[in-house]
Amino acid sequence: MSTSTPPRPAHVWYASYGSNMYRGRFLNYLQGGRPAGAARSYPGCSDCAPPGADTPIRWAGRLHFATRSPTWGGGVAFADEAERPGQEILGRAYLITTEQFDQVVHFENSGTIAAEAPPVPLNEVIRRGRTRCGTGIYAVLCHLGDREDVPVVTFTSEFTSAAALRGDEYAVRGGQRFLVQTHPPSPAYARMIGGGLAETFGMESEAQADYIHGCPGGDEWDRQELVAALQRC
C-alpha cells in the first residue's frame, strides 16, 4: 500500500517575538527596505503582499538575548521554550503564505536572495512539534498549535538561555562558527521590540522596559536608561 506525502499548508501564522513584532520592521522582510537603526537592507520576498491578518500570542517559555548581531550591534531575541512557572513569551502572529515564511526563515539565517530560499519542512514540524531546518542561528522550527485550522509556527535557536549564560556552546552564522554568549540588545533593537509590544499589547514604555529587562541579556541594561532609550524616536 502506497502513501502519498500531504501537501504543505498554503498559509501559516508566523509567531514573531523579537523585532518582527513591530509591523514596520516585519514589512521590510516582506516588501524590502532597511529598518531604522539596522546595518542591513532586505530585498523583500517574491510575494510582497502584507500579512492577511495579525493577532497577539503568548506561549510558555522565556525570551532571552544572545550573540552579537552584525545587523543590530547587540544581542538579538531568541525563544527558550523550556517551561518555567509564571513565564511566557509575548509575540505577534502574522498570517502569511508558506512561501513568504520560507523566505523570512532564509533571511533570518543570513540568506540574501528570496528565490534561493529552500522550502522549510512544515509537515515535519507539525508532526513532531520541533525540527531543524538547515544551519543558522534561527534554524529550529517550532509548532505552537493551530489557529483557525492554520498552523502557528515560529523559529529559534538550538541553544538555550542557560547555555548562552554559560557561554560554552557554539553556533553558526553566515557559515562562521562562533561562541554563543548572552548580550544585551542595542537601543535600536530594543526600540523595535518596544514598538511591537506597544502595537500588539498596548504597552507603554515602562511596561516594555519591565518585559525586556526581565529577560536574560535585557537585564544587563540599567532599567531607567532602558526606559529612556525606548522613549526615544
Side-chain angles (χ1 to χ4, degrees), residues 11-184:
H11 292 82
V12 299
W13 287 98
Y14 158 48
S16 66
Y17 53 83
S19 63
N20 287 344
M21 275 199 296
Y22 186 51
R23 183 180 177 87
R25 188 271 182 274
F26 183 56
L27 289 178
N28 292 135
Y29 272 129
L30 300 185
Q31 301 175 343
R34 181 174 175 174
R40 176 184 175 188
S41 295
Y42 297 87
C45 292
S46 301
D47 175 0
C48 62
D54 66 80
T55 187
I57 186 171
R58 301 169 184 254
W59 68 97
R62 177 165 68 171
L63 190 77
H64 69 109
F65 299 94
T67 80
R68 195 178 292 277
S69 167
T71 300
W72 295 102
V76 286
F78 297 94
D80 183 346
E81 296 191 294
E83 290 195 25
R84 296 175 179 84
Q87 291 191 334
E88 63 182 2
I89 297 167
L90 304 183
R92 185 179 195 171
Y94 296 100
L95 183 63
I96 59 176
T97 69
T98 298
E99 181 186 55
Q100 286 177 318
F101 184 68
D102 292 338
Q103 293 173 4
V104 170
V105 173
H106 183 60
F107 294 146
E108 287 278 15
N109 288 294
S110 303
T112 58
I113 301 174
E116 293 181 355
V120 302
L122 274 178
N123 289 335
E124 182 179 342
V125 73
I126 292 167
R127 185 176 71 253
R128 297 177 58 184
R130 183 180 175 96
T131 195
R132 186 170 180 83
C133 60
T135 61
I137 59 172
Y138 289 108
V140 174
L141 299 179
C142 305
H143 180 218
L144 304 180
D146 297 326
R147 178 181 173 84
E148 300 168 349
D149 297 321
V150 176
V152 181
V153 185
T154 193
F155 43 78
T156 187
S157 61
E158 215 162 24
F159 55 82
T160 63
S161 57
L165 285 164
R166 291 194 309 268
D168 61 0
E169 291 189 14
Y170 286 83
V172 175
R173 179 196 285 122
Q176 300 296 314
R177 190 167 178 260
F178 65 95
L179 189 66
V180 172
Q181 294 178 308
T182 298
H183 280 295

